[in-house]
């Protein structure tokens, strides 16, 4: 293809044609993708088309039924119509076997989303034998109804446009469909409009599709494919790949994969990724512009959609998830460099990320419900709010405690009730001394998250959530593929990031210090009593409440709190009962030996002043440092702390009261809400970033078009070691 045709907002980095070596690597890549079964079979694609056709007939009948019930004229009933459009990976032609179908139903103005779509159509689908796992999520940023139709997963959106009759051949790429519609309808329509624009803005559609399939597979293997947990979803990866295709218009997929990692390893976020200039229109919808919209300045990884109104498709990304993706881009770039030097095969690029060997500390989020249907809806709600936990932890620790939410879902087979478990890796920010982040108490943060989760308007008895802190050695066996843990990787080489130890002497010194600490620990084990606190498995049974006037033990026995296994524990190791969501929730103290649940108020991550950037492991008492709290006295004779503000500060540790409450009324039910005082200047859940970070390095030109200063850096140079 000739490089004379320009794509994107600036000139391409390179218009070089592929070499024989590039063609050979492309053949090897194609073979690897075929062996990995990334392409859907013809039979599966035929079934998808059949399902889409049946779904189209269902929504047409649904709209006719509503039109008749509302006593419109016979002609209106005859003309009543709804149309199904597809978008996402299926529309882009980059879907694989078992992939879901993103679909949009466009209906007339008198058919509403809130009642007609989420209630009437929901009930129609619920009665059909072909439909299973029906899950409405009306409160999502883009309201969606998830279900399986004849075994194929479907995410169905709805858009009510300002027409009484929807033509069968309606072109939703036209600006007129956005007249007199609300923001949710605009976001619903944007999926289809964006997919069409992406295909128009890439030089070679087939090269784009193969590269996108490859990069999506890589992202899933490396644990960074999930919009809901703060990483990137299908449209985000499509936009990133499309931009690389614009920068290298004549490149074939093997070249584009390599250039993808080279470009985004050097990309200066928060400079935005855009396929075309941002378009403004007289319709007045807000477009992404950090110069005008303060909230847009808080976006860490802007990836802008090409269709009006241009939006940031990656608003979910946090500082923590951006850090994780940047590390993975760097890792992928190193592997691709080895592939180009014939030192590695393509299979090395797709090695799975060993998440449960990467961190010493984890948060485990357990979701339980009374039956499978309740778990489906309850889990959908929790997942839609899950990124808020990451943002809150970042905010409340001033970014010193970094989070890595893992998108994979796990099931605990030992539980009798339907359940689902998610995990989040925790580590201290690199380069921060021990004094600046000696300890992290995020119990208040987790409490606040659970209270927000408890406001679910469709809550039913049995729906519950538990958040607990676990060490790497305490991880449950069900998270490992074979039911047991793998051998620990060498400390001298980080297999996950592929980074060798930069200072051999420091590594040797640290290794020697750890050896001495192990010897001391072995000596201490002979004389100290066994007080190890193990994380118990979570039971579906609710803990029995303790009356406010009753204490679980003598308060004088709990005056000394010491670190053990990463938790703040007393002689009796008290912890908090989970929040009951029916009626008024009581938050009361219960004894460990009377319960089987590890719950949020038992969570405290203790840091120290050691040189390690990781959180201290419980098996190394020499690393724990000073983390004692002496003489923590309660005001009353019982176990309650009568403290204004719901917390007292003792040696930088928050000791929360057991039975302070604020009653909040939601949807006719009352909930207890525990306050968490914060003195952070943030807008919503996102701290506002300076606009200077967006305008540095020539981000804004004289025509107010956003640019990224990558062109000069990615030209052939000795630092890259190869011609781009």
């Amino acid at each position: 293809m000739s490089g004379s045709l320009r794509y994107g907002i600036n000139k391409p980095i390179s218009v070089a044609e592929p070499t024989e070596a590039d063609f050979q690597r492309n053949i090897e890549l194609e073979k690897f993708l075929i062996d990995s079964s990334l392409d859907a079979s013809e039979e599966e694609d035929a079934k998808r088309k059949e399902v889409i056709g049946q779904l189209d007939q269902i929504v047409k009948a649904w709209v006719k039924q509503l039109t008749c019930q509302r006593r419109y004229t016979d002609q209106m009933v005859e003309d009543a119509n709804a149309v199904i459009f597809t978008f996402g990976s299926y529309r882009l032609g980059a879907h694989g076997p078992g992939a879901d179908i993103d679909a949009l139903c466009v209906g007339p103005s008198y058919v509403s989303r809130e009642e007609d779509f989420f209630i009437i159509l929901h009930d129609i689908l619920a009665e059909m034998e072909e439909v299973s796992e029906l899950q409405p999520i009306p409160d999502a940023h883009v309201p969606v109804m998830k279900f399986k139709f004849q075994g194929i997963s479907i995410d169905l959106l709805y858009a009510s446009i300002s027409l009484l009759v929807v033509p069968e051949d309606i072109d939703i790429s036209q600006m007129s469909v956005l007249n007199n519609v609300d923001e949710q309808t605009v976001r619903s329509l944007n999926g289809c409009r964006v997919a069409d624009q992406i295909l128009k803005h890439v030089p070679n559609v087939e090269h784009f599709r193969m590269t996108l399939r490859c990069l999506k597979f890589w992202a899933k293997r490396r644990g960074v494919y999930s919009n809901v947990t703060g990483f990137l979803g299908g449209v985000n990866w499509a936009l990133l790949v499309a931009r690389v295709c614009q920068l290298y218009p004549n490149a074939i997929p093997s070249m584009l994969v390599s250039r993808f990692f080279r470009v985004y390893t050097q990309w200066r976020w928060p400079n935005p990724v855009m396929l075309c200039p941002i378009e403004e229109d007289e319709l007045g919808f807000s477009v992404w512009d950090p110069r005008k919209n303060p909230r847009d300045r808080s976006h860490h990884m802007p990836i802008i959609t090409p269709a009006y109104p241009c939006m940031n498709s990656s608003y979910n990304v946090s500082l923590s998830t951006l850090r994780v993706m940047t590390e993975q881009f760097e890792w992928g770039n190193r592997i691709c460099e080895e592939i180009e030097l014939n030192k590695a095969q393509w299979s090395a690029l797709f090695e799975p990320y060993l998440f449960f060997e990467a961190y010493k500390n984890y948060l485990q989020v357990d979701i339980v419900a009374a039956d499978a249907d309740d778990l489906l809806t309850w889990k959908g709600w929790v997942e839609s709010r899950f990124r808020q936990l990451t943002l809150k932890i970042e905010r409340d620790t001033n970014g010193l405690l970094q989070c890595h939410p893992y998108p994979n879902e796990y099931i605990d087979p030992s539980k009798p009730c339907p359940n689902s478990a998610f995990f989040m890796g925790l580590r201290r920010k690199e380069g921060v001394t021990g004094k600046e982040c000696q300890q992290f108490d995020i119990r208040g943060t987790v409490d606040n998250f659970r209270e927000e989760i408890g406001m679910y308007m469709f809550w039913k008895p049995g729906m519950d959530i538990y958040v607990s802190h676990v060490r790497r050695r305490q991880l449950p066996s069900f998270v490992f593929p074979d039911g047991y843990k793998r051998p620990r990787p060498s400390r001298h080489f980080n297999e996950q990031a592929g980074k060798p130890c930069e200072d051999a002497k420091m590594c040797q010194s640290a290794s020697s210090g750890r050896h001495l600490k192990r010897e001391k620990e072995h000596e201490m084990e002979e004389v100290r009593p066994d007080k190890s606190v193990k994380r118990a498995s979570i039971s579906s049974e609710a803990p029995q409440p303790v009356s406010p006037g009753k204490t679980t033990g003598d308060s004088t026995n709990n005056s000394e709190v010491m670190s053990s296994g990463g938790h703040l524990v007393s002689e009796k190791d008290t912890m908090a009962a989970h929040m009951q969501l029916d009626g008024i929730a009581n938050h009361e103290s219960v004894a460990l030996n009377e319960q089987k649940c590890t719950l949020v108020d038992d969570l405290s991550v203790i840091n120290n002043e050691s040189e390690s950037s990781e959180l201290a492991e419980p098996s190394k008492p020499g690393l724990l440092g000073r983390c004692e709290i002496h003489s923590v006295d309660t005001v009353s004779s019982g176990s309650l702390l009568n403290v204004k503000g719901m917390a007292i500060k003792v040696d930088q540790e928050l000791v929360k009261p057991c039975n302070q409450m604020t009653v909040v009324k939601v949807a006719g039910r009352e909930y207890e809400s525990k306050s968490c005082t914060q003195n952070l200047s943030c807008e919503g859940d996102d701290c506002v970033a300076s606009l200077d970070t967006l305008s540095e390095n020539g981000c804004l030109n004289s025509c107010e078009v956003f640019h990224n200063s990558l062109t000069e850096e990615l030209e052939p140079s000795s630092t890259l070691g190869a011609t781009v």
Side-chain angles (χ1 to χ4, degrees):
M1 175 178 292
S2 173
S4 60
L5 184 60
R6 174 170 164 173
Y7 290 88
I9 59 176
N10 48 21
K11 65 179 182 179
I13 293 175
S14 172
V15 293
E17 298 287 342
T19 64
E20 290 186 8
D22 292 323
F23 281 117
Q24 181 59 37
R25 281 191 289 269
N26 198 66
I27 292 173
E28 294 171 356
L29 179 59
E30 286 181 343
K31 183 178 183 303
F32 174 82
L33 297 180
I34 292 173
D35 293 342
S36 301
S37 301
L38 293 188
D39 291 327
S41 64
E42 294 182 0
E43 294 79 8
E44 191 174 357
D45 281 342
K47 185 176 181 181
R48 279 193 173 91
K49 291 180 180 179
E50 180 184 347
V51 165
I52 293 172
Q54 292 181 1
L55 186 60
D56 187 66
Q57 294 302 314
I58 291 170
V59 297
K60 281 175 166 46
W62 162 62
V63 170
K64 286 186 180 293
Q65 174 186 330
L66 291 174
T67 308
C68 182
Q69 290 175 350
R70 289 166 189 176
R71 298 183 179 179
Y72 283 95
T73 64
D74 293 341
Q75 186 62 44
M76 279 282 293
V77 174
E78 183 180 347
D79 294 339
N81 191 34
V83 182
I84 290 289
F85 293 91
T86 60
F87 61 99
S89 61
Y90 183 78
R91 173 69 182 90
L92 294 173
H95 61 286
D100 61 357
I101 297 176
D102 295 308
L104 168 70
C105 174
V106 177
S109 58
Y110 56 87
V111 177
S112 69
R113 178 189 302 105
E114 292 76 12
E115 295 182 5
D116 299 329
F117 180 73
F118 278 112
I119 296 178
I120 298 178
L121 180 60
H122 172 274
D123 293 343
I124 292 174
L125 293 173
E127 295 176 357
M128 301 181 66
E129 294 182 356
E130 300 92 339
V131 175
S132 62
E133 300 182 19
L134 184 58
Q135 178 187 2
I137 311 178
D139 297 323
H141 185 67
V142 181
V144 60
M145 192 145 55
K146 296 174 175 282
F147 56 92
K148 285 187 176 181
F149 195 97
Q150 295 182 5
I152 294 179
S153 297
I154 295 177
D155 290 353
L156 182 62
L157 313 182
Y158 179 71
S160 174
I161 61 176
S162 58
L163 294 175
L164 289 176
V165 177
V166 178
E168 188 67 25
D169 59 349
I170 185 173
D171 183 3
I172 60 174
S173 65
Q174 296 296 318
M175 204 77 72
S176 59
V177 300
L178 301 179
N179 287 323
N180 302 317
V181 297
D182 58 17
E183 290 282 352
Q184 288 182 319
T185 299
V186 171
R187 289 195 290 267
S188 298
L189 289 166
N190 218 25
C192 296
R193 291 162 54 82
V194 166
D196 291 340
Q197 289 297 314
I198 289 175
L199 295 176
K200 291 179 181 178
H201 280 87
V202 294
N204 187 307
V205 173
E206 289 305 316
H207 289 171
F208 162 76
R209 285 173 173 167
M210 179 176 170
T211 307
L212 179 56
R213 282 197 298 269
C214 185
L215 267 301
K216 287 176 63 177
F217 181 54
W218 175 86
K220 292 175 182 178
R221 297 283 283 178
R222 303 303 294 177
V224 290
Y225 188 93
S226 174
N227 183 276
V228 72
T229 55
F231 293 107
L232 302 180
V235 66
N236 310 125
W237 291 106
L239 290 168
L240 291 182
V241 170
R243 185 66 185 121
V244 174
C245 291
Q246 291 180 338
L247 294 173
Y248 300 91
N250 297 329
I252 57 178
S254 62
M255 299 170 64
L256 291 171
V257 170
S258 175
R259 303 309 187 268
F260 177 93
F261 292 111
R262 188 175 303 177
V263 167
Y264 293 115
T265 293
Q266 299 186 38
W267 196 273
R268 296 177 180 176
W269 305 106
N271 286 348
V273 172
M274 298 186 299
L275 301 185
C276 58
I278 292 178
E279 178 185 0
E280 297 200 27
D281 190 85
E282 64 275 3
L283 291 178
F285 288 107
S286 176
V287 298
W288 187 85
D289 189 345
R291 298 163 300 180
K292 298 179 181 179
N293 307 321
R295 192 172 184 83
D296 292 343
R297 300 173 199 166
S298 66
H299 296 166
H300 305 295
M301 193 181 186
I303 303 174
I304 311 305
T305 57
Y308 176 84
C310 299
M311 308 174 185
N312 176 21
S313 63
S314 54
Y315 61 90
N316 274 355
V317 174
S318 67
L319 285 173
S320 288
T321 52
L322 175 59
R323 170 188 60 84
V324 172
M325 287 186 284
T326 300
E327 291 175 354
Q328 292 302 319
F329 289 156
E330 293 171 351
W331 180 87
N333 188 47
R334 285 192 294 272
I335 299 298
C336 285
E337 288 176 351
E338 294 181 358
I339 292 173
E340 290 181 343
L341 296 173
N342 296 322
K343 293 182 178 180
Q345 301 297 320
W346 283 112
S347 58
L349 182 64
F350 301 93
E351 285 293 325
Y353 179 68
L354 303 181
F355 174 74
F356 293 107
E357 295 178 14
Y359 296 90
K360 295 181 180 180
N361 293 268
Y362 298 86
L363 281 186
Q364 178 174 342
V365 179
D366 289 277
I367 306 166
V368 298
D371 56 51
D373 291 337
D374 286 353
L375 178 65
L376 199 62
T377 56
W378 178 234
K379 182 180 67 175
W381 164 251
V382 174
E383 282 186 294
S384 70
R385 309 299 300 169
F386 193 56
R387 81 177 187 99
Q388 296 298 325
L389 180 58
T390 303
L391 295 174
K392 291 176 187 296
I393 291 175
E394 287 179 354
R395 179 192 64 191
D396 294 350
T397 63
N398 294 320
L400 298 180
L401 183 61
Q402 296 180 331
C403 309
H404 180 175
Y406 198 50
N408 290 17
E409 175 188 351
Y410 298 89
I411 298 175
D412 186 352
S414 66
K415 287 188 177 63
C417 61
N419 67 90
S420 182
F422 294 89
F423 290 82
M424 178 186 293
L426 300 174
R427 81 176 185 189
R428 187 173 63 185
K429 183 178 180 180
E430 292 183 0
V432 178
T433 62
K435 289 184 178 180
E436 290 177 299
C437 54
Q438 175 142 357
Q439 55 191 2
F440 298 106
D441 187 339
I442 57 175
R443 290 175 293 186
T445 306
V446 173
D447 281 343
N448 180 256
F449 169 72
R450 294 175 69 247
E451 288 165 6
E452 289 187 1
I453 294 297
M455 301 301 178
Y456 183 46
M457 63 184 299
F458 298 107
W459 181 88
K460 294 180 181 180
M463 293 180 176
D464 220 328
I465 179 175
Y466 303 89
V467 181
S468 53
H469 168 223
V470 294
R471 299 281 183 168
R472 179 164 54 197
R473 67 176 185 177
Q474 299 169 321
L475 287 167
S477 60
F478 60 78
V479 303
F480 298 97
D482 301 320
Y484 59 86
K485 302 178 183 178
R486 303 186 183 195
R488 288 282 298 278
S490 170
R491 293 178 182 271
H492 299 286
F493 191 89
N494 187 337
E495 292 183 357
Q496 299 305 314
K499 296 179 181 178
C501 184
E502 296 179 358
D503 191 336
K505 292 182 179 180
M506 185 178 296
C507 286
Q508 184 176 1
S509 174
S511 177
S512 176
R514 285 191 293 267
H515 180 68
L516 291 174
K517 287 167 185 173
R518 290 195 194 99
E519 290 183 349
K520 291 180 181 179
E521 181 181 15
H522 179 70
E523 293 172 359
M524 292 174 64
E525 285 177 351
E526 297 180 358
V527 296
R528 68 184 178 188
D530 183 12
K531 291 185 179 181
S532 61
V533 180
K534 297 184 178 179
R535 180 187 174 278
S537 62
I538 295 176
S539 169
S540 62
E541 299 176 0
Q544 298 299 320
V546 180
S547 104
K550 182 179 177 181
T551 62
T552 59
D554 189 355
S555 61
T556 59
N557 292 336
N558 297 333
S559 61
E560 182 172 340
V561 183
M562 303 183 66
S563 173
S564 175
H567 301 277
L568 286 180
V569 297
S570 65
E571 287 289 328
K572 296 181 180 286
D573 192 21
T574 60
M575 64 175 80
H578 72 295
M579 183 169 66
Q580 303 284 343
L581 298 181
D582 48 338
I584 299 178
N586 291 321
H587 188 230
E588 300 166 351
S589 178
V590 295
L592 176 66
N593 58 9
E594 295 176 0
Q595 301 300 328
K596 298 179 181 179
C597 303
T598 299
L599 303 167
V600 298
D601 278 86
D602 193 33
L603 172 62
S604 180
V605 182
I606 305 297
N607 265 329
N608 51 67
E609 300 181 12
S610 67
E611 295 180 357
S612 172
S613 63
E614 297 286 334
L615 301 177
E617 283 192 46
S619 61
K620 302 173 184 176
L623 293 178
L624 287 176
R626 297 186 303 276
C627 47
E628 300 182 0
I629 300 176
H630 297 279
S631 301
V632 181
D633 298 324
T634 57
V635 177
S636 64
S637 59
S639 63
L640 305 183
L641 296 178
N642 185 15
V643 181
K644 185 177 180 180
M646 313 217 35
I648 63 173
K649 190 173 184 181
V650 183
D651 291 341
Q652 300 181 351
E653 185 63 51
L654 290 175
V655 181
K656 296 184 67 61
C658 300
N659 208 18
Q660 302 286 337
M661 68 176 68
T662 301
V663 177
V664 180
K665 229 177 224 188
V666 178
R669 297 204 306 274
E670 294 180 340
Y671 303 91
E672 174 197 355
S673 173
K674 295 175 288 299
S675 65
C676 179
T677 305
Q678 295 151 353
N679 296 317
L680 296 175
S681 178
C682 295
E683 180 179 347
D685 292 315
D686 301 314
C687 295
V688 176
S690 172
L691 182 57
D692 295 338
T693 60
L694 284 167
S695 57
E696 66 179 0
N697 301 315
C699 179
L700 290 173
N701 67 9
S702 58
C703 298
E704 296 187 334
V705 175
F706 289 95
H707 287 280
N708 187 286
S709 55
L710 276 176
T711 305
E712 294 78 5
E713 294 184 9
L714 293 176
E715 290 293 350
S717 66
S718 59
T719 58
L720 291 177
T723 301
V724 183

